Amino acid sequence: MSPTVDSPASRRQFMKTTAVAAAATLVPGITSPLFAAEKDPYAGFRMGIQSYSLRGFDVTKALETTDKLGLHYWEAYPNHIPVSTVPAQVAKYKKMLDAANVKLIAFGVLPFSKDETQARAFFDFAKAIGVETLSANPEKNKATFDLLDKLVEEYAINIAIHNHGPGAKYDKIDDVVDIVKGRNPRVGACVDTGHFLRSNEDPVEAIDRLSDRLYGVHLKDVKDAKIMTILGEGDLDVVGCLKLLKKNDYKYSLAVEYEENHENPVSDIEVCLSNVRKAVKQIG
């Protein structure tokens, strides 16, 4: 039972809270952690960014920018964090991630074939650095997927097949649905909403049909199936995507991805995130 407002403990807490809030208003750009913690603006989603969005920056600046954006999860692409199992190299990037208060939960997009040596190098790296999911563009053959079945089981790391739009291996929703059928449950999908729009596919339908194997989502927006745009300003049903993810208790990486203006993307990404927060308020 909580103390009443009139109790000494409550009065002390009230005065402390008021003092912190007052101090925060006096310092531009500072938000009281007491109030920041009261409400998660992303409704429990592990909201992050695909670091490709920040490809114009080196890894240090990209991580600093991520922290300033108020995000704490990354799906990194290899130009920011190279694949390596050298302990000193892994430790270096872990230290950088920790310093920026960013957790690396996904990585990619990586190619996979029947080449077990290459595949193990990717999985060994993921295990060493603590990645949960590898976004992937595997060859569409039995040998490759037999190998993936074995490795996801051995390493307890997910494979998320990433769709890349018209002409790619995984252009349509059916391409992903069909290839993962009967495979290890850890072999699943990373739904890139923008690329599905480019392929004239419905991202909400993709999330629905792949829900039991969904290990990654790239929130990206496109207008008229061809023009990359700021999230919330294209044809993506952002509310519909988030509502379904919430209904399905989605727990994996939810990464905004913005491919335009790579030299100075931050203000555009801020608008993307603002539109996500507005959509979150509508999902109930």
Side-chain angles (χ1 to χ4, degrees):
M1 182 174 175
S2 301
T4 67
V5 177
D6 293 327
S7 73
S10 184
R11 285 198 298 272
R12 286 195 299 272
Q13 182 60 41
F14 174 78
M15 292 177 70
K16 179 181 177 183
T17 302
T18 304
V20 173
T25 63
L26 296 175
V27 184
I30 299 296
T31 302
S32 165
L34 289 172
F35 292 98
E38 280 184 2
K39 182 163 181 173
D40 174 4
Y42 299 108
F45 289 121
R46 297 165 88 187
M47 189 70 214
I49 190 167
Q50 217 304 342
S51 78
Y52 184 77
S53 309
L54 302 170
R55 64 196 178 279
F57 303 157
D58 65 20
V59 64
T60 300
K61 186 174 180 182
L63 284 168
E64 289 173 353
T65 301
T66 300
D67 191 29
K68 288 176 182 177
L69 287 166
L71 300 176
H72 304 291
Y73 296 102
W74 248 27
E75 177 177 324
Y77 92 119
N79 281 17
H80 276 147
I81 299 181
V83 174
S84 173
T85 54
V86 176
Q89 187 87 336
V90 172
K92 168 189 168 182
Y93 286 105
K94 279 186 170 182
K95 185 176 180 179
M96 293 175 73
L97 289 157
D98 288 344
N101 196 25
V102 172
K103 184 172 178 57
L104 183 64
I105 58 175
F107 189 90
V109 176
L110 295 173
F112 284 90
S113 68
K114 64 182 180 180
D115 182 342
E116 184 165 347
T117 300
Q118 182 192 54
R120 282 193 178 276
F122 292 151
F123 275 87
D124 285 340
F125 160 74
K127 197 73 172 179
I129 206 162
V131 165
E132 301 169 1
T133 298
L134 292 172
S135 293
N137 186 34
E139 295 295 327
K140 293 175 82 171
N141 58 60
K142 184 177 183 299
T144 297
F145 277 85
D146 286 349
L147 175 60
L148 291 176
D149 274 349
K150 179 173 76 171
L151 295 181
V152 296
E153 185 70 24
E154 179 180 336
Y155 286 84
I157 291 171
N158 308 311
I159 281 288
I161 298 171
H162 180 272
N163 57 296
H164 271 111
K169 294 185 189 78
Y170 303 98
D171 175 13
K172 302 293 185 182
I173 300 170
D174 281 343
D175 291 326
V176 185
V177 170
D178 292 345
I179 201 75
V180 301
K181 195 176 296 178
R183 291 293 173 181
N184 187 290
R186 285 188 178 273
V187 177
C190 172
V191 167
D192 186 304
T193 60
H195 286 318
F196 271 134
L197 286 171
R198 290 179 60 236
S199 297
N200 291 305
E201 293 276 72
D202 180 1
V204 178
E205 180 187 347
I207 290 169
D208 185 36
R209 292 182 62 194
L210 292 161
S211 61
D212 60 338
R213 290 177 179 263
L214 190 58
Y215 299 119
V217 176
H218 292 175
L219 281 178
K220 184 188 300 175
D221 212 343
V222 171
K223 188 73 177 172
D224 300 326
K226 57 186 176 182
I227 304 168
M228 295 285 190
T229 188
I230 289 172
L231 187 66
E233 297 184 4
D235 296 323
L236 181 65
D237 180 1
V238 181
V239 174
C241 289
L242 295 180
K243 188 174 288 187
L244 188 53
L245 290 170
K246 195 68 177 175
K247 178 184 174 184
N248 294 338
D249 195 25
Y250 178 73
K251 293 180 171 64
Y252 300 95
S253 173
L254 180 62
V256 67
E257 185 175 22
Y258 182 64
E259 296 196 6
E260 303 305 289
N261 193 19
H262 71 276
E263 292 183 356
N264 188 25
V266 177
S267 59
D268 288 346
I269 293 171
E270 287 175 335
V271 178
C272 291
L273 292 170
S274 175
N275 288 335
V276 173
R277 293 191 294 270
K278 289 174 186 175
V280 163
K281 292 178 181 178
Q282 300 179 55
I283 68 175

